[in-house]
Amino acid sequence: MGWLDNVLDWAADKVQTVTGEKERRENVAKVKETYETYRWQVETNIDSVNSSITELNNSITELNAFRADDVPRNLISLGSFLNEFGNVKEIGEYAEEETSCYLEIPTHRFISIEDYISDIDWSQVDVFVDSFILGSIGMKMKTQKQNLSIQEKLNALKIESEQTLFELQNLKLSAEQDIEIANLYIYCVKGIIHYIETVIIPELDVVEGFFQALAIKNKVIAEEALANIPFKNRLSIIQDTAYQDHYHFVRNAFLFYVVACKIYNTPVLTNLFMGNTSEEDYIEITQEKNALEEQMQVVGRYVIFQRGGI
């Protein structure tokens, strides 16, 4: 079969010179090279984006575990104390934060491009047979038409590649920004619950003890029997008095309870990530974090015994 291969090589070379087949094969090679680079870049970038999504989802999973366990436990304790000073709303139904979906390799698109390459990648036998059937002029016209078509496809593939990579890079930046926002929100959530657990609830014990002591003092002053004393935690009686720090503390404790309820029953991150997050979202949450820390300092001024903060 060696002589037949030599004949085919000779014929194909002659045809390439006359019909522009050489240019066509160069164009086919460019399409292959562009596609291979495109596919590698897409797969690499999708892996990178998915890696960030994994990090984000791990943070969300950690947050959900904390919200489902630590948050209601402290909310129930705080609500129980606050019920002694006024009516508090139910904590609401738990709403889980949703994890993000992973990107998938565009397999169908790759198959479509590979099928196109297979169609335009003529073998030497294909060239020889077409040349024999169409003649040199017919083959030249067919090849020139194919060259124009391939060049158009090549340009379109380059544009598609640039647009796809641009979108993937934006998705990567968006995922990294979502991670920063999620971590900042988790910091705030854990800070609020930690503050409720270590500062507010213990201090409410002190406030409740104050009201009991106040009731006993009034009984002693009135020279009444110290038995079956009804203890009532009425904030209004200490407003604008020497004991108003207790009043301000409890009022602020109610605000922390409301915020903690929202943490428990509202998927804040899920709602935020439904749209496209931006640098402004991160700035806004940072400002809320600063406001939270300032609020803790305000509350801290009204406690009798200083305790750890956020």
Side-chain angles (χ1 to χ4, degrees):
M1 294 297 291
W3 66 271
L4 179 58
D5 291 336
N6 291 334
V7 170
L8 290 175
D9 289 342
W10 174 84
D13 183 64
K14 292 297 182 183
V15 170
Q16 288 174 10
T17 303
V18 175
T19 65
E21 171 65 11
K22 182 177 181 181
E23 179 186 355
R24 194 194 69 79
R25 288 206 168 275
E26 289 174 352
N27 286 335
V28 172
K30 290 178 183 177
V31 172
K32 288 181 178 180
E33 181 182 0
T34 301
Y35 165 65
E36 290 299 330
T37 301
Y38 172 47
R39 176 165 186 159
W40 178 83
Q41 289 177 328
V42 167
E43 291 176 343
T44 300
N45 278 271
I46 286 179
D47 284 344
S48 178
V49 174
N50 284 340
S51 176
S52 294
I53 291 176
T54 295
E55 183 178 349
L56 173 63
N57 286 344
N58 287 341
S59 294
I60 291 175
T61 299
E62 175 191 347
L63 173 62
N64 279 333
F66 183 81
R67 290 173 63 240
D69 182 23
D70 293 61
V71 174
R73 173 167 49 81
N74 284 282
L75 266 177
I76 291 171
S77 296
L78 178 58
S80 176
F81 273 110
L82 292 178
N83 263 325
E84 300 295 326
F85 300 95
N87 295 325
V88 296
K89 68 175 186 177
E90 297 293 328
I91 65 175
E93 185 177 350
Y94 173 69
E96 187 172 77
E97 297 280 5
E98 296 179 7
T99 54
S100 296
C101 296
Y102 290 97
L103 298 184
E104 295 184 358
I105 301 293
T107 306
H108 291 298
R109 178 55 184 150
F110 290 160
I111 291 175
S112 175
I113 297 174
E114 289 168 3
D115 287 343
Y116 171 74
I117 291 174
S118 179
D119 289 339
I120 64 173
D121 192 15
W122 302 338
S123 67
Q124 289 184 350
V125 173
D126 293 332
V127 173
F128 181 80
V129 171
D130 284 349
S131 299
F132 181 79
I133 296 173
L134 299 175
S136 60
I137 295 177
M139 188 61 184
K140 182 177 181 179
M141 292 177 62
K142 178 178 180 179
T143 305
Q144 288 176 340
K145 182 179 179 180
Q146 184 74 303
N147 277 335
L148 290 174
S149 175
I150 292 174
Q151 191 61 51
E152 290 177 357
K153 289 286 187 181
L154 179 59
N155 292 336
L157 182 58
K158 288 180 178 178
I159 293 173
E160 178 185 334
S161 174
E162 291 175 359
Q163 290 177 338
T164 302
L165 294 177
F166 177 75
E167 291 171 1
L168 287 173
Q169 288 166 0
N170 281 340
L171 286 173
K172 175 67 174 179
L173 292 174
S174 178
E176 291 176 344
Q177 187 165 256
D178 288 349
I179 290 171
E180 291 181 353
I181 291 173
N183 289 339
L184 190 56
Y185 178 66
I186 291 170
Y187 172 85
C188 292
V189 168
K190 289 188 174 181
I192 290 170
I193 301 307
H194 175 74
Y195 197 78
I196 288 173
E197 183 176 22
T198 62
V199 176
I200 293 180
I201 291 177
E203 185 68 15
L204 284 174
D205 268 333
V206 174
V207 175
E208 189 171 38
F210 161 77
F211 275 101
Q212 293 173 357
L214 185 62
I216 293 172
K217 184 189 79 169
N218 290 336
K219 286 288 185 180
V220 171
I221 293 174
E223 297 182 350
E224 296 178 2
L226 299 179
N228 300 319
I229 303 175
F231 295 118
K232 296 181 180 179
N233 300 328
R234 291 164 50 200
L235 284 176
S236 57
I237 66 174
I238 61 172
Q239 186 177 3
D240 299 324
T241 69
Y243 310 114
Q244 65 178 348
D245 280 357
H246 293 314
Y247 170 83
H248 290 302
F249 177 83
V250 175
R251 296 285 294 179
N252 279 279
F254 273 98
L255 295 178
F256 272 88
Y257 179 80
V258 171
V259 172
C261 284
K262 183 176 181 180
I263 289 172
Y264 181 71
N265 61 38
T266 305
V268 174
L269 291 181
T270 299
N271 294 340
L272 181 61
F273 293 160
M274 284 178 68
N276 293 322
T277 56
S278 65
E279 180 67 20
E280 283 138 11
D281 293 312
Y282 181 78
I283 292 173
E284 183 178 345
I285 293 183
T286 300
Q287 291 171 342
E288 291 178 0
K289 166 185 167 290
N290 295 336
L292 167 66
E293 292 175 339
E294 289 175 7
Q295 181 63 22
M296 289 178 177
Q297 291 176 2
V298 170
V299 174
R301 292 200 291 265
Y302 300 125
V303 300
I304 302 301
F305 303 105
Q306 292 297 324
R307 302 175 178 85
I310 189 172

